[in-house]
Amino acid sequence: MIFMLENLISAIKKYNPGADFKSIRRAFDLAEKSHEGQVRNSGEPYIIHPYHVALILTEMNMDTPTIIAGLLHDVVEDTEVTYEDIKKDFNEEIADLVDGVTKLKKLNYKTKKEKQAENIRKMVLAMAKDIRVVIVKFADRLHNMRTLEYMTDEKKHEKALETIEIYAPLADRLGMSRVKWELEDLSLRYLDPDKYYKLVDMVNKRRSEREELINSLIGAISIQLKKVGIEAEIQGRPKNFYSIYKKMMHKGRSFDEIYDLSAVRILVTDVKDCYGALGVVHTMYKPIPGRFKDFISMPKPNKYQSLHTTVIDNNGETFEVQIRTLEMHKTAEYGIAAHWKYKEGVSKATSFDENLTWLRQLLEWQKDLNDPNDFIETLKVDFFADEVYVFTPRGDVINLPENSTPVDFAYRIHTDIGNTCVGAKINGRIVPLDYKLKTGNIVEVITNKNAEPSMDWLNIVKSSQARTKIRQYFKSRDRDKNIELGRTLLEQETKKQGYGAKALLKEEWLNQVMARLQVSHLEDLYAAVGYGSISPNQVIAKLIDLYVEEKDKNKPLQVQDIQGQIKKKRPTSNNGVVVKGIDNVKVRFAKCCNPLPGDDILGYITIGRGVSVHRCDCVNIKNSADKSRLIEVKWDGGDKDRYNANIEIRAADKANVIGDVATRLNDANVDLVNLSARTQNDQTLCVNTVVQLHDLNELANLLEKLRGIKNVYSAYRVKN
């Protein structure tokens, strides 16, 4: 693999000839040795992956510690190398970078969603300490997405969805547009392959026509700029597929209605020439009203600066023009990575640190978010959603999620201002508190020190921050009442489930439940139950699990135990499954993973309920503490029975989608057990359905039919 190392060294020398190449060589050798014998899904040696991650980091001109972290980013997670080993062999800085990227793999979680949420939370906390953590993570995710075709269909969808919901918006937040565009396009390829390839085909068909238009525009604009003495580099701007797709799907536009398919970018030397070039363009072509944006005088929070205008030429062709300086262009392409000082001995502090104000806000708010899923929701709604930019009376710019209200604004300024808000003025005029803020509004909050929040505000606020602060106010105000109510509700639920309070509400078990729910004190648990943020059943169900486990521990398990469950009067149905070594035993399918014929399965012996059948990849089976209860089972080859399958469908939020899904299910001649739908924060529709099928082949055929429905982005089997 010596050629890879030399290729990497050569790439670094082009921008940083003073790099610590001795340490980089040692890092490459350690990675190669540690991953020896490991292969990727493609069959290639694993070292290929960290090598490409490091190469991607060189494209961003990153410093020596970051390159080394890229080479070593998987060794702690996947090999015997530890944090202490890296700290000893290199230094604490590099060890911390690697640790920040490493997943929380050794901890046990109930669901994949919970595990994903906690991993994202860990990464965000680490990047607040050192922003290079997320830059390494972007390089890691980019290479994984580029090689995603070697994964299973389920894994492709899972990775693509996480990438488009978390990593692409995060890249946008950090101004790294080149990374964002590639992540979005790669994700779309696997989330909606049919529409992706149709879109690629439509773009390619228009390519020669579009290139001819762009070349003529560049020539004409170049001549006019030279006439007025403006030196400029002019280029065509490629439009990423996902942005076209989003406009077509979410705004209902046809391919021909996308204005900025054809785009020109003008790069000049200073800000004065930006506005001079804009004047030239508007003199040559007719600007479309409402399509001009000045991000130079009012930069985006990620420090993006540029002038955007959409114009029409003499032939009626519409195209977009972006105008910026070369320095602005560097920031637009690589964001915070462009401002990182790679040279040894140079201070790492930059003016770009202002970009991380939102990250510091997030760190403050996450302290109040015990549930990792709430943390992810806050991330998506408050930081990754489309935004509006409004002003305080002093002229400070405040960015908020789209459709935010004056109440959201008040809580963004300060908790006390939100809690005492009684009214608001927009541009000097009084407006109702449910007024939807628009970019450019000057917002003034009217307060009264004797006022308090209203529970009705939960229905009008858009930001998770405001919603959390409102709930916290009422939790704090009514805490004593909620503690007493919570204790009563738990005791009532205990009796309802047929148990005594003393039998279930043991201190050691409550401590375990509190740890699982991330609650610090017993009174906090009671208060949360009383307030309603944790349901009594949620607590009691976990306590019953602990009770049953304790009971089962004290009872030796023999094959006779499940043989004793065989019904005497009539044979027990085996549900199409054969249990090795035992006849006529009660068999049931685990609802956590709903196996289908064709899935690899494994049995779990229960006390009093026969054998529970799981898929071999079920998280509950993998995390089972008592492996002695596992028993070999297999399908009996019959095809008469039907089995439950959970299917999730993602679609545009259109009125006819649910009806079309139901019709397609009916046409497929499958039994529908349940169907529910909800609108996501990104205005997509999520339809969950449970159907009864014979086997995996029938599932595959059904998924293909569902994916063919108009406005449906994806359809896939839900696994726990």
Side-chain angles (χ1 to χ4, degrees), residues 22 222 442 478 481 492 599-600 604 638 674 720:
K22 183 178 178 181
S222 181
I442 300 173
D478 302 329
K481 184 172 69 176
Q492 289 175 349
D599 284 324
D600 292 330
Y604 184 82
N674 183 44
N720 63 312

Side-chain angles (χ1 to χ4, degrees), residues 308-507:
H308 291 195
T309 185
T310 304
V311 297
I312 304 175
D313 70 5
N314 295 330
N315 298 317
E317 291 284 351
T318 303
F319 63 96
E320 185 187 59
V321 179
Q322 294 181 352
I323 307 169
R324 62 180 73 137
T325 67
L326 290 166
E327 187 62 29
M328 290 173 189
H329 181 60
K330 184 181 176 185
T331 298
E333 292 284 287
Y334 290 112
I336 199 163
H339 288 251
W340 192 262
K341 304 296 185 185
Y342 61 79
K343 294 177 182 176
E344 316 306 327
V346 176
S347 169
K348 296 182 176 68
T350 74
S351 62
F352 205 82
D353 287 343
E354 295 170 19
N355 186 334
L356 302 182
T357 302
W358 66 274
L359 186 54
R360 287 189 286 273
Q361 290 174 341
L362 179 59
L363 290 179
E364 282 300 311
W365 301 341
Q366 71 89 28
K367 294 174 185 175
D368 302 319
L369 302 173
N370 291 323
D371 187 340
N373 294 316
D374 288 344
F375 177 79
I376 292 294
E377 200 61 29
T378 298
L379 205 61
K380 290 179 183 177
V381 174
D382 285 6
F383 297 99
F384 295 164
D386 290 336
E387 295 177 316
V388 292
Y389 305 96
V390 296
F391 295 94
T392 67
R394 294 192 307 176
D396 297 325
V397 179
I398 303 294
N399 56 297
L400 292 163
E402 195 173 35
N403 295 323
S404 287
T405 66
V407 179
D408 292 288
F409 176 89
Y411 278 105
R412 177 62 59 88
I413 300 301
H414 196 277
T415 302
D416 290 341
I417 292 177
N419 287 341
T420 57
C421 171
V422 293
K425 291 181 180 180
I426 302 296
N427 303 331
R429 297 177 60 186
I430 292 178
V431 297
L433 289 178
D434 62 356
Y435 173 86
K436 296 289 189 293
L437 299 177
K438 300 175 180 62
T439 293
N441 284 161
I442 300 173
V443 187
E444 181 182 352
V445 179
I446 303 170
T447 61
N448 183 326
K449 65 180 181 179
N450 297 318
E452 66 175 13
S454 165
M455 287 293 283
D456 292 338
W457 287 0
L458 292 172
N459 299 320
I460 66 170
V461 294
K462 179 65 177 176
S463 64
S464 295
Q465 182 212 8
R467 192 170 287 111
T468 299
K469 294 298 183 184
I470 294 166
R471 286 174 176 157
Q472 282 179 342
Y473 178 86
F474 287 103
K475 283 181 187 178
S476 176
R477 190 192 68 175
D478 302 329
R479 180 173 171 79
D480 291 342
K481 184 172 69 176
N482 285 329
I483 288 172
E484 190 58 39
L485 177 59
R487 185 183 288 111
T488 301
L489 289 173
L490 285 179
E491 290 175 355
Q492 289 175 349
E493 184 67 23
T494 302
K495 293 176 184 176
K496 183 179 173 183
Q497 297 292 340
Y499 294 86
K502 287 185 178 179
L504 279 192
L505 301 178
K506 292 184 177 180
E507 183 179 350

